Amino acid sequence: MSKQIWKPGNMVYPVPAVMVSVGDKEGKTNIFTVAWTGNACTNPPMVYISVRPERYSYELIRNSGEFVINLTTESLVKATDYCGVRSGRDVDKWKECSLTEAKAAKLSYAPLIEESPVNIECKVNRTLELGSHVMFIADVVCVDADEAYLDDKGSFRLDKAKLISYSHGDYMSLGDKLGSFGYSVRKKPAKHKKKVK
């Protein structure tokens, strides 16, 4: 196998494409799309988003200390792109994308996007200035999950939501299940031989 050597760059793909909703103490709200996001800790549950300081939402987060990570689906892909390329300084993204602003359960300023299957309510724990981006590491204070994805046993089936990801400039739908956690080492059940009569 032959490989080219490239200059250092961000090549961990695919990544989540999430819409982050924010609000401030003056009542301004906005939505912006983030790809630099992920889990930071299991216990306590913590996540992060990395944001360029020149983005309109950066000051809203600094002002309020909170944000909501809203997972995105195939039906939200156009809104996801729009909220990443238009500034809240210039347009009302809620109106332009026909998205519904809903009250968060545990936050004071940042709203939820009602159309998202999962809303992760976050309070900023610490901030890291890294260079082009500032990382907000946040405590997860609440998760709002759409009951439409509960099966008849009460299990949450997020795989049915048709989530999307982002890969080097393209939005991608998540594909077929290839395995589940631990499947590579799980013992297969023994096959029972049929008795010969």
Side-chain angles (χ1 to χ4, degrees):
M1 183 183 300
S2 178
K3 295 196 176 181
Q4 295 180 356
I5 304 300
W6 293 354
K7 67 179 182 179
N10 300 103
M11 288 298 292
V12 179
Y13 285 107
V15 293
V18 301
M19 289 190 285
V20 176
S21 47
V22 297
D24 70 5
K25 296 173 183 177
E26 285 73 50
K28 289 184 282 190
T29 64
N30 190 45
I31 309 164
F32 70 115
T33 302
V34 172
W36 298 161
T37 183
N39 297 311
C41 186
T42 301
N43 189 17
M46 299 176 80
V47 292
Y48 75 90
I49 60 172
S50 290
V51 182
R52 290 181 180 270
E54 58 267 25
R55 293 194 76 169
Y56 175 67
S57 292
Y58 174 82
E59 285 301 328
L60 298 180
I61 296 170
R62 282 281 200 191
N63 179 291
S64 69
E66 56 184 51
F67 58 87
V68 180
I69 295 174
N70 303 274
L71 300 190
T72 54
T73 62
E74 290 179 15
S75 64
L76 291 171
V77 68
K78 189 171 183 180
T80 302
D81 183 64
Y82 186 91
C83 290
V85 297
R86 291 289 183 255
S87 174
R89 290 183 187 94
D90 307 320
V91 295
D92 179 347
K93 297 181 195 178
W94 297 99
K95 181 180 175 185
E96 293 299 319
C97 296
S98 299
L99 295 172
T100 309
E101 191 173 335
K103 178 78 177 92
K106 301 286 185 181
L107 301 179
S108 301
Y109 311 107
L112 312 178
I113 298 173
E114 186 69 33
E115 290 78 8
S116 173
V118 175
N119 318 94
I120 305 164
E121 300 184 29
C122 305
K123 287 192 177 181
V124 176
N125 179 298
R126 65 191 71 149
T127 302
L128 297 175
E129 295 187 15
L130 301 173
S132 63
H133 288 67
V134 173
M135 180 183 284
F136 294 105
I137 301 172
D139 297 311
V140 175
V141 296
C142 183
V143 176
D144 306 84
D146 190 334
E147 292 178 351
Y149 299 103
L150 291 175
D151 66 16
D152 55 1
K153 296 177 183 174
S155 296
F156 192 61
R157 297 298 307 272
L158 192 54
D159 56 311
K160 302 296 183 191
K162 298 184 178 179
L163 297 177
I164 60 172
S165 64
Y166 181 79
S167 185
H168 215 255
D170 296 314
Y171 300 97
M172 315 289 287
S173 59
L174 296 180
D176 297 327
K177 177 179 172 180
L178 303 177
S180 58
F181 181 76
Y183 86 101
S184 64
V185 295
R186 195 173 296 127
K187 292 183 180 178
K188 295 179 181 175
K191 292 182 180 178
H192 297 287
K193 294 181 180 178
K194 291 183 180 178
K195 291 182 180 178
V196 180
K197 292 183 179 179

